[in-house]
């Protein structure tokens, strides 16, 4: 009887259907559209397959310019975020100072505001600072977006490093700097790696801040995609760019897995 | 190897006293156990010697040199932690070699010393394993090897076997004792397990509420506890409340010598210090437990006082039956007074 009930795991099936319908299906549809030249109702599959739209998109110099701008922005923002946030995360994890809890919560509270409204008010401030329409302005607004993730995740990672491990290293003769470099950092690395990767990917896909502060002079990939879809509603353009945008994050994910090992990487993401 | 002296060492956390000012001398090559219940300050004291806590006052002298304000990495001490604290991203070899690498020794010398240390703790051939591939006992051996390879002047062990099962604890403590004797390394061992302290130590320091209650050899501590706390904490002791009057204590039918001032006091008799006699204090046996070499009888006096007695296995005893007891040896305690101890009778 128990075996029979187990075989008919209805909640599991419902969940699987839900995931297929809301996650897998849209992704499959995007992929299909990316390689479609014609798709007429009521055909279930495209009526004509092809790479025509890929060539159309990829031969445009503004696509490549936007791609490299996005890559460069993501790399700069991730690096700056690491330089600023990782020491702060260590301080939050290991040091006691007045207002520690308040500052930790303030990062969360900043993200609790409606994002668009927050970015508009920052954009107004940037206007007075002549940062609107500049590369630096986009870097700063995207950097602000990464703070929550780059402080909270590494703080939790540093907190999770056993204090006894650090003390044991000190005990055998390691200076505080060596303890951090040889023990604390490697122990926290999977989570830090996950945070860096997510920061890179989020920055790459970030649209609102880049649009309000950077447009039209700073053209990132998501902004270019928006303008292409707005100018002429060809589904294939959107699909091709979506698949193209998916590639950098996939490469980053695969590299991270290779560098850190799948187990520790999954651990960093909380698995 | 070196001697260790604590002179007036104390520790306060947010105005709460964790360790009251205390002094202690440990001889070169001695193994001393700090024994006490949780919160007695023994681990804090050990951490002050290791440099992980800064004393609020006093001196920590290693071979005559005060290291009270020296960082842990600059001290000639090495600590084995209760949690093993192995670095999980390094294999066994790298865990043991880390301290030697920091000392910039040659690769060949490091390899020789690491292998020797692993052989010493019975882990030859395990150098390539990761900590997660080892059992709890093996992990603790690696932690011990990691300390021993540095040849510290003082070895500190903070409840190293607390997370291990009883059988493994007994085996490891024997091994630690053998290694300590072989290397003649001055060792301070923190434990809350009295059997561990009694089996291991050259001397035991019994601590309670941040203060030293008694320092002595295991025999001295067991046979002549100097305070009511030690009497109660070490081994099994019947602590029977009574009253001293005219040089005698009367408690639950016992009437025994007690050369101390009149007033309330506690009569202390170990279970093995009772004799079964024709006349004496009568108790009723509630339960009999066979402990192998002897019987343990849980008895009760008419006034409700519980009394534990060890009996020879040849002695006829049954649950519900009566026993008439006299004390071959007893002590009388009162807080603030010197304890009275009787001379053992045959």
């Amino acid at each position: 009887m128990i075996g029979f009930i187990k075989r008919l795991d209805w909640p599991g099936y419902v969940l699987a259907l839900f995931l297929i319908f809301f996650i897998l299906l849209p992704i499959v549809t995007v992929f299909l559209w990316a390689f479609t030249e014609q798709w007429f109702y009521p055909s279930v599959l495209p009526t004509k397959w092809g790479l025509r739209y890929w060539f159309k998109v990829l031969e445009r110099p503004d696509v490549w310019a936007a791609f490299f701008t996005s890559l460069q922005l993501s790399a700069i923002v991730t690096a700056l975020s690491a330089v600023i946030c990782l020491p702060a995360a260590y301080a939050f994890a290991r040091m006691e100072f007045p207002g520690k809890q308040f500052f930790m919560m303030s990062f969360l509270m900043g993200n609790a505001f409606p994002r668009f409204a927050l970015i508009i008010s920052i954009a107004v401030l940037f206007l007075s600072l002549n940062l609107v329409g500049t590369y630096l302005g986009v870097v700063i607004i995207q950097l602000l977006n990464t703070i929550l993730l780059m402080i909270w995740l590494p703080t939790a990672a540093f907190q999770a490093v056993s204090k006894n491990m650090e003390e044991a290293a000190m005990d055998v003769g390691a200076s505080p700097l060596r303890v951090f470099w040889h023990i604390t950092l490697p122990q926290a690395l999977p989570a830090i790696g996950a945070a860096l990767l997510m920061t890179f990917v989020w920055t790459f896909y970030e649209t609102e801040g880049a649009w309000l502060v950077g447009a039209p002079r700073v053209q990132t990939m998501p902004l270019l995609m928006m303008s292409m879809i707005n100018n002429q509603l060809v589904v294939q353009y959107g699909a091709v760019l979506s698949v193209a945008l998916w590639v950098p994050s996939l490469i980053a994910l695969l590299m991270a897995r290779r560098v850190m090992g799948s187990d520790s990487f999954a651990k960093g993401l909380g698995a | 190897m070196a001697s260790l002296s604590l002179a007036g060492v104390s520790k306060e956390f947010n105005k709460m006293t964790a360790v009251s000012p205390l002094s202690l001398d440990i001889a070169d090559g001695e193994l001393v156990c700090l024994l006490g219940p949780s919160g007695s300050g023994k681990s804090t004291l050990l951490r002050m010697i290791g440099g992980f806590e800064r004393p609020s006052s006093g001196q920590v002298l290693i071979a005559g040199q005060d290291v009270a304000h020296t960082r842990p990495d600059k001290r000639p001490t090495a600590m084995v932690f209760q949690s093993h604290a192995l670095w999980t991203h390094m294999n066994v070899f790298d865990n043991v070699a880390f301290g030697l690498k920091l000392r910039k020794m040659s690769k060949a010398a490091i390899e020789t010393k690491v292998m020797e240390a692993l052989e010493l703790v019975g882990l030859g051939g395990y150098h390539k394993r990761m900590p997660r591939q080892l059992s709890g006992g093996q992990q603790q051996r690696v932690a011990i090897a990691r300390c021993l390879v540095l040849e510290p002047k003082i070895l500190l062990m903070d409840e190293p076997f607390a997370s291990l099962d009883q059988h493994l604890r007994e085996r490891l403590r024997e091994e630690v004792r053998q290694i300590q004797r072989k290397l003649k390394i001055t060792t301070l061992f923190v434990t809350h397990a009295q059997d561990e302290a009694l089996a291991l130590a050259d001397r035991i320091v019994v601590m309670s509420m941040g203060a030293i209650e008694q320092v002595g050899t295991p025999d001295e501590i067991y046979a002549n506890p100097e305070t009511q706390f030690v009497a109660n904490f070490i081994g099994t002791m019947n602590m029977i409340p009574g009253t001293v009057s005219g040089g005698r204590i009367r408690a639950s039918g016992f009437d025994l010598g007690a050369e101390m001032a009149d007033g309330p006091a506690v009569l202390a008799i170990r279970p093995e210090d009772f004799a079964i006699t024709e006349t004496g204090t009568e108790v009723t046996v509630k339960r009999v437990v066979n402990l192998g070499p002897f019987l343990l009888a849980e008895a009760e006096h008419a006034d409700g006082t519980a009394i534990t007695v060890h009996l020879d296995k040849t002695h006829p005893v049954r649950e519900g039956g009566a026993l008439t007891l006299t004390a071959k040896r007893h002590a009388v305690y009162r807080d603030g007074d010197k304890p009275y101890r009787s001379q053992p009778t045959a």
Side-chain angles (χ1 to χ4, degrees), chain A residues 114-127:
Chain A
R115 248 170 88 80
F116 204 67
L118 194 70
I119 291 170
I120 285 174
S121 37
I122 293 172
V124 170
L125 181 72
F126 278 18
L127 204 61

Side-chain angles (χ1 to χ4, degrees), chain B residues 87-115:
Chain B
W87 305 305
T88 51
H89 58 289
M90 296 182 192
N91 65 17
V92 167
F93 182 91
D94 289 336
N95 262 279
V96 181
F98 185 61
L100 298 174
K101 285 177 186 167
L102 293 171
R103 283 160 178 74
K104 308 231 181 303
M105 288 179 75
S106 72
K107 266 191 168 179
I110 289 174
E111 194 166 333
T112 309
K113 284 180 86 69
V114 170
M115 293 308 182

Side-chain angles (χ1 to χ4, degrees), chain B residues 151-275:
Chain B
E151 296 171 14
K153 286 182 178 170
I154 311 284
L155 179 64
L156 307 171
M157 305 184 93
D158 189 5
E159 306 215 30
F161 310 138
S163 60
L164 308 177
D165 66 60
Q166 184 64 25
H167 178 69
L168 197 56
R169 282 171 64 161
E170 284 171 16
R171 224 176 74 194
L172 273 179
R173 84 180 174 215
E174 274 314 305
E175 288 177 19
V176 162
R177 189 62 176 134
Q178 280 172 16
I179 291 169
Q180 190 270 338
R181 281 196 176 135
K182 189 174 163 189
L183 302 179
K184 295 184 177 63
I185 184 167
T186 311
T187 303
L188 210 56
F189 189 107
V190 162
T191 181
H192 64 268
Q194 46 171 297
D195 60 330
E196 206 157 78
L198 292 167
L200 261 177
D202 293 321
R203 280 191 304 155
I204 296 173
V205 177
V206 184
M207 291 187 70
S208 169
M209 298 175 75
I212 292 178
E213 290 276 335
Q214 187 174 352
V215 182
T217 64
D219 285 346
E220 284 166 357
I221 297 270
Y222 187 82
N224 299 315
E226 280 174 5
T227 66
Q228 196 171 319
F229 173 83
V230 178
N232 209 7
F233 188 70
I234 302 287
T236 308
M237 182 77 90
N238 292 288
M239 304 293 284
I240 308 165
T243 308
V244 175
S245 170
R248 298 196 69 79
I249 182 165
R250 289 170 189 88
S252 296
F254 291 98
D255 185 349
L256 300 162
E259 285 166 21
M260 57 168 45
D262 291 357
V266 176
L267 171 63
I269 307 170
R270 291 223 182 264
E272 64 270 27
D273 286 339
F274 284 111

Side-chain angles (χ1 to χ4, degrees), chain A residues 162 164-176 178-179 182-184 186-187 267, chain B residues 47 52 71-73 77-79 81 83 85-89 98-99 102-104 146 150:
Chain A
S162 152
N164 275 352
M165 273 195 202
E166 294 178 330
E167 288 177 344
M170 253 187 273
D171 198 47
V172 300
S175 63
R178 280 182 191 274
V179 172
H182 290 288
I183 309 300
T184 316
Q187 287 287 323
K267 198 172 127 198
Chain B
R47 288 175 63 79
F52 303 110
R71 279 191 346 212
D73 53 309
T77 56
M79 177 125 108
F81 295 83
S83 62
L86 295 185
W87 305 305
T88 51
H89 58 289
F98 185 61
L102 293 171
R103 283 160 178 74
K104 308 231 181 303
R146 184 172 67 182
L150 300 173

